[in-house]
Amino acid sequence: RNGDTPIHYACFGGNLSVINALLEKQPQPVSQLNADDKLPIHLLWESEGIDNESAEYMETVWRLLRAYPETLTLGELAE
């Protein structure tokens, strides 16, 4: 997919262990939009088949938000 980075792919697939490994290994472009104007965290939120109430999921979302806290204000900027 155009504009996707490894963290985009991991989030799209809902692979929490890979997301966390990528975040630990090196800085990830969590603020980079792909060709569909989506951040990695958006792809994770849209992933199906994962337990979005698990502690691991919540920790992963928290780590992505800490890496790019501006995610919370992007909706306001688009309006």
Side-chain angles (χ1 to χ4, degrees):
R1 296 167 29 137
N2 286 336
D4 285 342
T5 65
I7 195 84
H8 281 93
Y9 282 110
C11 288
F12 179 75
N15 196 327
L16 302 178
S17 60
V18 172
I19 296 166
N20 285 308
L22 287 169
L23 289 171
E24 287 177 19
K25 196 163 194 139
Q26 60 189 7
Q28 293 297 308
V30 296
S31 63
Q32 181 176 328
L33 295 169
N34 67 9
D36 296 322
D37 291 328
K38 295 192 178 195
L39 295 169
I41 198 167
H42 297 141
L43 298 175
L44 180 60
W45 286 331
E46 295 171 358
S47 289
E48 296 179 11
I50 60 172
D51 180 4
N52 61 3
E53 294 182 10
S54 72
E56 184 181 17
Y57 178 86
M58 297 296 185
E59 176 64 24
T60 302
V61 168
W62 177 244
R63 291 184 74 194
L64 287 166
L65 289 173
R66 280 194 347 232
Y68 187 53
E70 291 83 357
T71 300
L72 298 174
T73 60
L74 285 179
E76 296 169 12
L77 296 175
E79 294 176 0

